[in-house]
Amino acid sequence: MHKATQLNALQLTAKPSRRLINQALKEEQALNATFIGQQRAREALNFGLGIDAKGYNLYVMGEAATGRFTLVHEYIAKHVSSVPTPDDWCYINNFDDEREPFTLRLPAGESRKLAADLDSLIDELLDTFPAAFDNPGYQRKKANIKREFDQRYDKAIAEVELFAQRNNVALYEEKGTISFSPIVNGKPITDEEFAGASEQERQHFYDLISQLEEKLSEQLLELPQWKRESSEHARKLTRETAEQGIKPLLKELEHKYAGDLGILKFLRQLKPHLVETVIEVLGEENKEEKQDDFDRRTVLEEQYLPNILVSHELNGGAPVIYEPNPTYQNLFGRVEYTNVQGSVFTNYRMIRPGALHKANGGYLLLDADKMIQQPYVWDALKLVLKRGELKMDIQQHDIGMVNSVTLNPQSVPIKVKVVLLGSRDLYYTLQEYEDEFHELFRVLVDFDHEIPLDKTTLYDFVGRVRCQVKEMGLQGISAKAMYRLVEYSLRLAEHQHRLSARFADVIELLHEAQFFCAQQQSDELDVTHIETALDAKTQRSGRISQALLDDIKEGQILIETDGEAIGKVNGLTVLEIGDSLFGTPARITSTVYAGANGVVDIEREVELGRPIHSKGVMLLTGYLGHKYAQLFPLTLSANIAIEQSYGQIDGDSASLAELVALLSALTLIPVQQGLAVTGSINQYGQVQSIGGVNEKIEGFFKLCAHRGLTGQQGVVIPKSNEVNLMLDKEVVQAVKAGRFHIYSVETVDQAAEILMGREAGLLSSRARFPKGSINSLAVSRLSQIARIVNGADEE
């Protein structure tokens, strides 16, 4: 049987190449590194961004802070130069139905030129009108129209006046009112004189005035028609004058944009509406009104200036838009409203673009986990990608939230490459439950959380650190500090040959080290600054771990680090609270007695054990039955507990320790209390790897170091975890000095031999274990319990 391996100091941590690190620190080429590793993701990005076919949008899958966003931007930047600059998009007024504004597509950069030209048109209109109505020719024609009307009127009045004079009646006209008065002795009489006249005379004049009024009515019967004709002639004159003033201004624009049918159509639709607006807003009758040029300009701008949704520089390349808050309005645009004299008002100029408008013809990056939580967004995004056009719908109307009048803008053709950055769970959920997901997002970009440590990645790592240090304003970083950062990244990955993909954690450490570097007034980052930053971070987040260690020191939590005990084993656990991750030992105990209850997991019985932990305990029965109970029924009662544990427990890393405790209680062989153990097992007694091995070892080492290292203390770990060892220098030095030991095992027998100090024993050809071995005593005790429980005679 293979024996357990006692690890030496060289096996407890990685040894990155100092030569390569020093070389990368000197080469300027290393500064060009923008990303580290992720070859699979690079290839997928290159494919997804390069293929121009419907449905080949990208889903970038991986943990946050692994450089997903950086790498996507890097690769998109390479493709942007080869993608033509997309067109500009505007909304313009629909003069026939202002509730349904039109879209206008223009070459890149032309939308701002058009807006400037129309703005100049407004300036020229304000300069031209109402000054054009002061033209002598206009005033002469206007006077002629008025004179013609006055001549008709005067002629009709003159005939009535001549008839009145013949009949001794005077005609008076004052403020548009005509009246009559009798003439006696060559002059009009007063009311007193008229009252003193005889009845016959008065009646004569009454009849005469009545006749005159009737004749006046006949003469002025066509007066309303004369007035209408005069007003129509005046309006026609005003319209012709406005058209003459506008025509050269529009002619210049039509000539300039002769090659753009969309703008020509807009200008032709604009002309009659513009004439009416000029007459209404800039007409002669408004000249004296207290309305300044700003108000007039506002009225014209609100009707004629284009609403530029998206504008690009001529050689600006394809747009790259990242929307950090993918709400419906932020993605698909919105229609704004204003309050005018208590009423809600909107027009085409109040349409605001969304991220899809801005990214049209380019790339749109979205946080998938945030997007999927927003109402209506996912369904609307699918519709846009399938139809290739964006229709701005107001979702509030669909659910009855808004009853106000709104716009119905013309749809915009959309061609965009969408890149979703999301978690693995969301990707597999969408694959499972969303039928159209694969149809629309055919390219998966999978980011690893670890990066193989080779020459290329080491160069890239050093280069990225150097770039970051330069951005922070420091002169440089020492070789020892760089070596420590590489070790730190390996420790984050818990692997001697793999760097952590979470480079953001390295940047965080650099910033914290810069603080201590500045305190020492140094312009170069050294390893002492890195170590100080790490110690400070441990101190900041180490209150809980220190409190647990103090409880063990004071005897509040019972953990022995020397001597022997039956049925008691020091297990190794790891706790993660917030951003604090630390290991701490836990006592695992077992009792065995005659009975048929089987192996009872106390944690499970009181509902503190989570499923994976309970699974690990249940495997113990399978191991015992397979190993020892081939010739008799496995019958026993055993209890297993993690002592002084008052919270939820999960994971199967304690199953090896639980099995050793069970074997000790079964065979009555004591376990060395100076040793701790971690590892999971299968039913065949093979020891499997576990997580958090470094924290677990260091947690037990701190306790042993506090009580005093005896040279007999140590830990037992799975052999498959050797590659994960990245231990603190303090632990490495203690192992090197022989004051602490780390053993790696592949089987339960190897672990039992180390912890119980006795040979486990191999099964002979006669199906027996060597007498006095651990396995022999276990078989004997189990057989005895089976006989007792089944009623057989005791021997």
Side-chain angles (χ1 to χ4, degrees), residues 608-787:
L608 287 179
R610 303 297 289 272
I612 296 178
H613 175 263
S614 299
K615 174 189 173 184
V617 176
M618 294 173 71
L619 287 173
L620 303 186
T621 303
Y623 173 79
L624 293 175
H626 169 73
K627 182 88 171 183
Y628 304 122
Q630 296 293 333
L631 303 177
F632 55 87
L634 179 64
T635 308
L636 84 160
S637 288
N639 292 331
I640 294 178
I642 299 178
E643 302 291 350
Q644 294 181 281
S645 170
Y646 308 105
Q648 296 288 340
I649 297 173
D650 201 6
D652 60 352
S653 63
S655 57
L656 177 58
E658 290 167 339
L659 180 54
V660 172
L662 180 59
L663 287 176
S664 174
L666 187 66
T667 62
L668 301 180
I669 300 174
V671 176
Q672 299 292 328
Q673 299 299 292
L675 298 175
V677 60
T678 183
S680 68
I681 64 165
N682 60 27
Q683 295 185 88
Y684 290 93
Q686 295 173 309
V687 179
Q688 303 163 146
S689 62
I690 44 84
V693 64
N694 295 296
E695 289 78 9
K696 291 176 178 180
I697 294 173
E698 290 164 1
F700 187 66
F701 175 80
K702 286 180 182 178
L703 176 60
C704 294
H706 168 72
R707 292 180 175 175
L709 296 175
T710 63
Q712 304 299 318
Q713 296 148 331
V715 294
V716 177
I717 65 170
K719 187 172 183 60
S720 53
N721 278 121
E722 288 182 10
V723 73
N724 304 118
L725 293 176
M726 286 296 302
L727 294 167
D728 284 346
K729 291 182 179 179
E730 189 178 358
V731 180
V732 175
Q733 291 171 358
V735 171
K736 187 175 182 180
R739 295 184 294 120
F740 194 77
H741 307 283
I742 298 177
Y743 304 93
S744 65
V745 298
E746 296 179 274
T747 64
V748 171
D749 284 349
Q750 292 176 1
E753 288 180 347
I754 295 172
L755 291 162
M756 301 169 70
R758 186 179 296 198
E759 183 184 0
L762 291 174
L763 193 65
S764 68
S765 58
R766 299 174 60 187
R768 292 183 180 179
F769 292 105
K771 190 173 183 180
S773 65
I774 297 173
N775 292 331
S776 174
L777 294 174
V779 170
S780 177
R781 181 72 190 279
L782 287 172
S783 175
Q784 182 184 24
I785 293 174
R787 289 196 301 271

Side-chain angles (χ1 to χ4, degrees), residues 103-340:
T103 56
L104 182 62
R105 184 174 191 166
L106 298 169
E110 292 298 314
S111 62
R112 296 190 183 278
K113 294 180 182 178
L114 175 63
D117 289 339
L118 290 175
D119 195 61
S120 298
L121 173 65
I122 292 175
D123 288 335
E124 292 170 347
L125 288 172
L126 291 172
D127 293 337
T128 303
F129 300 98
F133 298 113
D134 294 331
N135 184 284
Y138 170 80
Q139 292 295 336
R140 185 173 59 254
K141 292 178 181 179
K142 183 178 179 182
N144 287 337
I145 294 171
K146 186 175 186 304
R147 186 165 52 251
E148 289 178 4
F149 173 79
D150 291 343
Q151 288 175 350
R152 282 186 173 185
Y153 180 80
D154 291 343
K155 180 180 179 182
I157 297 299
E159 292 181 4
V160 175
E161 186 177 14
L162 181 62
F163 180 80
Q165 289 175 353
R166 290 173 182 171
N167 290 278
N168 294 322
V169 177
L171 184 148
Y172 295 95
E173 184 177 3
E174 185 178 1
K175 296 181 180 179
T177 302
I178 297 175
S179 59
F180 299 96
S181 177
I183 298 176
V184 178
N185 298 324
K187 62 178 182 179
I189 62 175
T190 63
D191 290 341
E192 292 80 4
E193 292 173 340
F194 184 77
S198 65
E199 179 68 26
Q200 186 178 357
E201 289 178 335
R202 290 200 303 272
Q203 186 60 43
H204 169 73
F205 281 115
Y206 281 142
D207 294 340
L208 185 59
I209 291 173
S210 176
Q211 185 181 358
L212 286 170
E213 288 177 344
E214 185 177 349
K215 185 173 182 61
L216 178 63
S217 297
E218 290 176 357
Q219 288 294 103
L220 298 181
L221 184 65
E222 296 181 357
L223 180 63
Q225 182 178 347
W226 299 342
K227 187 68 175 177
R228 287 194 300 271
E229 291 176 354
S230 177
S231 298
E232 180 61 32
H233 290 157
R235 283 194 296 270
K236 184 177 180 181
L237 174 63
T238 302
R239 186 182 305 279
E240 290 174 350
T241 303
E243 287 177 348
Q244 290 173 0
I246 292 171
K247 186 176 180 179
L249 304 181
L250 290 180
K251 199 71 177 177
E252 184 180 348
L253 286 177
E254 289 175 350
H255 178 72
K256 183 175 182 179
Y257 292 101
D260 195 312
L261 295 178
I263 297 179
L264 285 179
K265 183 179 179 182
F266 170 66
L267 293 176
R268 288 166 186 163
Q269 290 176 335
L270 177 146
K271 184 176 179 179
H273 191 275
L274 185 59
V275 171
E276 297 296 333
T277 304
V278 166
I279 294 172
E280 182 179 346
V281 179
L282 305 178
E284 185 184 24
E285 60 273 14
N286 296 318
K287 183 165 60 175
E288 303 300 328
E289 292 184 7
K290 294 181 179 179
Q291 185 180 27
D292 57 22
D293 286 344
F294 176 78
D295 293 334
R296 294 188 178 102
R297 167 175 281 279
T298 301
V299 172
L300 295 174
E301 287 179 348
E302 289 298 314
Q303 297 184 73
Y304 304 119
L305 284 186
N307 177 12
I308 301 176
L309 283 184
V310 185
S311 178
H312 304 285
E313 297 296 332
L314 182 58
N315 297 314
V320 182
I321 304 298
Y322 171 64
E323 177 50 61
N325 184 26
T327 62
Y328 188 92
Q329 291 187 340
N330 287 350
L331 277 183
F332 306 104
R334 65 187 184 277
V335 177
E336 293 182 343
Y337 298 84
T338 188
N339 191 295
V340 179

Side-chain angles (χ1 to χ4, degrees), residues 342-517:
S343 300
V344 175
F345 169 78
T346 187
N347 68 358
Y348 78 101
R349 300 258 303 160
M350 301 178 76
I351 299 173
R352 297 294 175 259
L356 271 166
H357 294 102
K358 299 174 185 177
N360 195 8
Y363 307 89
L364 176 62
L365 280 66
L366 299 174
D367 188 318
D369 293 88
K370 290 181 181 178
M371 179 204 67
I372 209 69
Q373 296 175 4
Q374 299 293 335
Y376 303 108
V377 168
W378 174 244
D379 289 332
L381 180 62
K382 289 192 300 181
L383 193 62
V384 170
L385 295 179
K386 285 191 294 184
R387 294 175 55 187
E389 64 177 18
L390 172 54
K391 179 73 173 176
M392 193 178 294
D393 297 319
I394 310 302
Q395 294 297 326
Q396 291 89 335
H397 287 265
D398 295 340
I399 57 176
M401 291 176 59
V402 178
N403 294 317
S404 59
V405 174
T406 188
L407 302 178
N408 183 27
Q410 189 177 5
S411 60
V412 178
I414 293 289
K415 183 180 180 182
V416 64
K417 181 84 75 172
V418 178
V419 182
L420 297 182
L421 295 93
S423 63
R424 298 178 185 277
D425 290 343
L426 179 58
Y427 176 79
Y428 294 124
T429 300
L430 290 173
Q431 283 278 16
E432 181 72 21
Y433 297 104
E434 178 55 70
D435 295 336
E436 297 171 312
F437 177 71
H438 180 69
E439 176 187 344
L440 298 173
F441 291 87
R442 299 178 185 273
V443 182
L444 171 64
V445 182
D446 193 356
F447 273 71
D448 294 326
H449 60 279
E450 295 174 353
I451 302 169
L453 179 62
D454 53 30
K455 180 179 178 180
T456 302
T457 56
L458 190 59
Y459 259 60
D460 289 343
F461 182 92
V462 174
R464 287 288 291 117
V465 171
R466 289 176 65 189
C467 290
Q468 187 64 36
V469 168
K470 194 173 182 180
E471 290 176 9
M472 292 162 57
L474 295 172
Q475 292 297 320
I477 180 172
S478 69
K480 289 185 178 180
M482 186 66 75
Y483 187 86
R484 185 66 183 91
L485 286 175
V486 174
E487 284 187 330
Y488 177 71
S489 184
L490 292 169
R491 170 63 182 257
L492 290 176
E494 287 194 340
H495 204 288
Q496 294 182 0
H497 309 302
R498 294 178 187 170
L499 293 168
S500 170
R502 290 179 56 89
F503 190 73
D505 293 333
V506 177
I507 294 177
E508 178 186 343
L509 178 58
L510 284 172
H511 282 289
E512 293 175 8
Q514 183 193 20
F515 172 79
F516 297 103
C517 181

